[in-house]
Amino acid sequence: MPDTWEQLKNDCGACRSCPLWETRTNLVFGVGREDAEVLFIGEGPGEQEDLQGEPFVGPAGKLLDTMMAIIGLDRAKVYIANIVKCRPPRNRDPQPEEQAACLPWLERQIALIRPKVIVCLGRISAQALIDRDFRITRQHGQWFRYGEIPIMATYHPSALLRDPGKRPEAFMDLRELRKEIRAVCSSTELYDDSI
Ligand code: URA
């Protein structure tokens, strides 16, 4: 039987493959267009995301919205998900076993969405999806492949909040992203030509 969103959401909601479900408030499945051409993937829910059940709604989410707006994107046009769907306590990094336990849900999301471009937000996401040894400071903004799909990583918005000095580099990554979207996407309109 082919996978469906309903099946996937039910299966994911019942997941007990790692202990994070015990301490979470809400599962943070993902949000956006289920046929999005552009998929952003963060690390895992923070406090606000855990409370609201939606990815990137806290301070990092506000900056992500700004980053997307710079190239004329918004949540309504893309899909946003995380490597792990339950909040790690005290916002610690998700552990390798937790990531491995959660990855099949993301893989099923990707198979249903069939995005044309994937953007990893930060090191954890890039190491899970691009290369275990990914170095965000050296390799951000470069294109790789996830199967057939072009994939790149940029700095996590939380890192840009902590260190605004990295923002010009992230800005260059967004320009690369815009170029790729224009090259491979057909229904994702970008209204901003200013950068
Ligand atoms: N940071 C993430 O990586 N994901 C979220 O959903 C929120 C903050």
Side-chain angles (χ1 to χ4, degrees):
M1 273 252 290
D3 207 3
T4 63
W5 281 102
E6 193 188 354
Q7 184 71 53
L8 174 54
K9 284 174 191 170
N10 283 339
D11 292 351
C12 188
C15 178
R16 303 287 183 265
S17 301
C18 86
L20 291 182
W21 70 273
E22 294 177 52
T23 47
R24 72 166 188 230
T25 310
N26 287 296
L27 179 87
V28 180
F29 179 77
V31 71
R33 283 184 69 117
E34 293 179 347
D35 62 349
E37 292 181 314
V38 185
L39 170 61
F40 287 87
I41 303 176
E43 176 180 318
E47 184 183 20
Q48 282 307 312
E49 291 77 18
D50 176 65
L51 290 172
Q52 297 182 45
E54 184 171 326
F56 286 99
V57 288
K62 298 239 169 350
L63 184 53
L64 178 60
D65 287 344
T66 304
M67 290 164 74
M68 289 195 286
I70 283 172
I71 55 167
L73 283 176
D74 58 49
R75 277 165 194 261
K77 293 186 198 160
V78 305
Y79 197 91
I80 306 173
N82 281 308
I83 297 295
V84 296
K85 314 245 179 276
C86 298
R87 183 191 182 201
R90 297 174 305 282
N91 294 351
R92 64 159 170 75
D93 286 354
Q95 291 165 1
E97 315 81 67
E98 294 159 352
Q99 294 181 41
C102 213
L103 210 52
W105 307 123
L106 181 62
E107 287 166 350
R108 283 172 63 181
Q109 285 174 303
I110 295 173
L112 285 170
I113 298 168
R114 304 206 295 134
K116 301 267 178 56
V117 179
I118 300 176
V119 183
C120 296
L121 298 166
R123 171 183 63 87
I124 298 276
S125 172
Q127 289 182 343
L129 298 176
I130 301 175
D131 180 353
R132 220 158 30 95
D133 298 318
F134 194 90
R135 301 288 299 271
I136 194 80
T137 46
R138 289 200 202 141
Q139 294 175 289
H140 70 92
Q142 296 176 24
W143 288 103
F144 300 86
R145 293 261 158 190
Y146 177 88
E148 297 288 300
I149 308 169
I151 185 168
M152 75 127 86
T154 189
Y155 288 108
H156 193 288
S158 300
L160 300 175
L161 287 172
R162 279 194 304 271
D163 181 3
K166 291 198 168 82
R167 290 187 189 195
E169 291 172 71
F171 186 78
M172 297 305 286
D173 298 344
L174 291 169
R175 293 182 65 148
E176 276 305 313
L177 172 61
R178 183 178 63 175
K179 222 188 284 172
E180 188 68 13
I181 291 173
R182 291 213 166 113
V184 303
C185 294
S186 50
S187 61
T188 307
E189 273 178 43
L190 303 175
Y191 55 76
D192 195 327
D193 256 337
S194 62
I195 61 167

